Each structure stands twice: as structure tokens, then as C-alpha cells.
């Protein structure tokens, strides 16, 4: 009888040990997945902010090519470059929206891009300067907000 109880106790202990190990392994996998996703988000958000800055810079250069005399560059080339930067920004936006943990992050990212696009329509230098300041502040605010969500 004692040997049967010993065998049952051993089997029960082995089964409990297996369950605890399995739970620990699953928990470890979940933590690794969350950290990997956090890293992908960080990479996507940083890339998006960088493409916004590059697109903003291209639009400002394009504005000067159209409104300064003499122009600092070829307006046709500046237009092509601004469209390339817009495409890059939109691609980066899609990646942000796919990886975002809340819809708000993607919505705010799209709002910032819309704001940056307004640089093209600046009517004069004062309007351009105001839009430059506003877009710089909006990009920085978006970066600060997303950085907080990654902590």
C-alpha cells in the first residue's frame, strides 16, 4: 500500500511539475513576442518620424524653388523629390497603423502627415514659416506620445 501511495505521489508531482513548466514556457514566449512587437513598433515609429521630416524638408525646398528668385534648385526636380518623399511617408504610415496597439496612434500619425502636406500650399514666407513651426511641433508631439506608449 505504501508503495502505491509513493508511486501516485511521484506521478502527481511529475504532472504538477510539467504543468508549471508548461505555463512558464508559455509566459516566456508571450513576453518574447511582446518585446519583439515593441521593437518593431519602435522601428516603425522612428522610420515614420524620419520620413515625415524628410518630406517636410522636400516641401520647404520645393516652396523655395517656386517662390524665390533666383530659385535654389530646379522646381521640376524638387516636385519629383517631394512626391518620392510623400510616397515614403505614406508607406511608413501604413506600417505604423498595422503595428500600432491602438487606433489613436495611427489616426494621429495620419493627422500629422495631413498637416505636413499643407506646407505645399503656403501663400507667402510668413505662412510658410508658421506652417514649418506648426509641423515641427506636431511631429515632435507625435514622437513624444508614441514614445510614452512604448514605455
Amino acid at each position: 500500500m505504501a508503495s502505491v501511495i509513493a508511486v501516485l505521489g511521484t506521478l502527481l508531482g511529475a504532472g504538477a511539475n510539467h504543468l508549471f513548466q508548461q505555463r512558464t514556457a508559455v509566459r516566456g514566449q508571450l513576453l518574447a513576442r511582446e518585446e519583439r512587437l515593441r521593437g518593431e513598433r519602435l522601428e516603425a515609429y522612428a522610420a515614420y518620424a524620419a520620413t515625415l521630416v524628410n518630406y517636410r524638408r522636400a516641401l520647404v525646398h520645393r516652396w523655395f524653388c517656386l517662390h524665390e528668385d533666383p530659385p535654389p534648385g530646379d522646381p521640376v526636380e524638387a516636385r519629383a523629390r517631394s512626391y518620392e518623399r510623400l510616397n515614403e511617408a505614406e508607406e511608413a504610415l501604413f506600417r505604423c497603423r498595422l503595428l500600432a496597439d491602438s487606433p489613436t496612434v495611427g489616426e494621429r500619425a495620419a493627422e500629422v502627415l495631413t498637416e505636413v502636406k499643407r506646407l505645399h500650399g503656403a501663400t507667402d514666407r510668413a505662412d510658410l514659416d508658421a506652417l514649418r513651426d506648426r509641423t515641427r511641433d506636431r511631429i515632435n508631439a507625435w514622437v513624444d506620445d508614441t514614445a510614452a506608449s512604448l514605455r
Side-chain angles (χ1 to χ4, degrees):
M1 185 68 159
S3 62
V4 171
I5 292 173
V7 170
L8 288 175
T10 303
L11 289 174
L12 185 62
N17 187 30
H18 175 71
L19 285 175
F20 289 128
Q21 285 180 351
Q22 192 174 27
R23 285 183 185 167
T24 302
V26 168
R27 200 171 319 143
Q29 290 171 349
L30 288 175
L31 288 173
R33 180 186 178 280
E34 287 176 18
E35 186 57 32
R36 193 171 43 253
L37 186 57
R38 181 187 169 282
E40 287 180 28
R41 284 184 181 129
L42 176 62
E43 183 181 311
Y45 297 165
Y48 181 60
T51 60
L52 282 174
V53 169
N54 287 332
Y55 177 49
R56 181 178 169 271
R57 187 179 305 124
L59 286 177
V60 169
H61 180 71
R62 181 179 177 190
W63 189 91
F64 281 114
C65 287
L66 293 172
H67 295 92
E68 292 289 300
D69 190 29
D74 179 20
V76 174
E77 192 177 296
R79 184 176 129 213
R81 189 174 310 115
S82 70
Y83 283 128
E84 288 172 10
R85 299 301 174 260
L86 173 59
N87 288 336
E88 292 167 1
E90 287 176 338
E91 288 172 11
L93 173 61
F94 293 144
R95 187 155 190 251
C96 282
R97 291 173 67 189
L98 288 169
L99 290 171
D101 58 348
S102 79
T104 307
V105 171
E107 291 166 3
R108 294 220 35 239
E111 290 170 4
V112 175
L113 179 57
T114 299
E115 189 74 25
V116 171
K117 286 178 182 179
R118 292 188 179 129
L119 282 165
H120 175 64
T123 55
D124 58 23
R125 180 64 191 263
D127 189 26
L128 177 69
D129 289 342
L131 285 167
R132 287 170 74 182
D133 291 342
R134 190 165 60 232
T135 56
R136 182 190 59 240
D137 293 344
R138 292 287 306 268
I139 292 168
N140 287 330
W142 184 82
V143 168
D144 292 342
D145 290 346
T146 55
S149 75
L150 291 171
R151 292 187 186 109

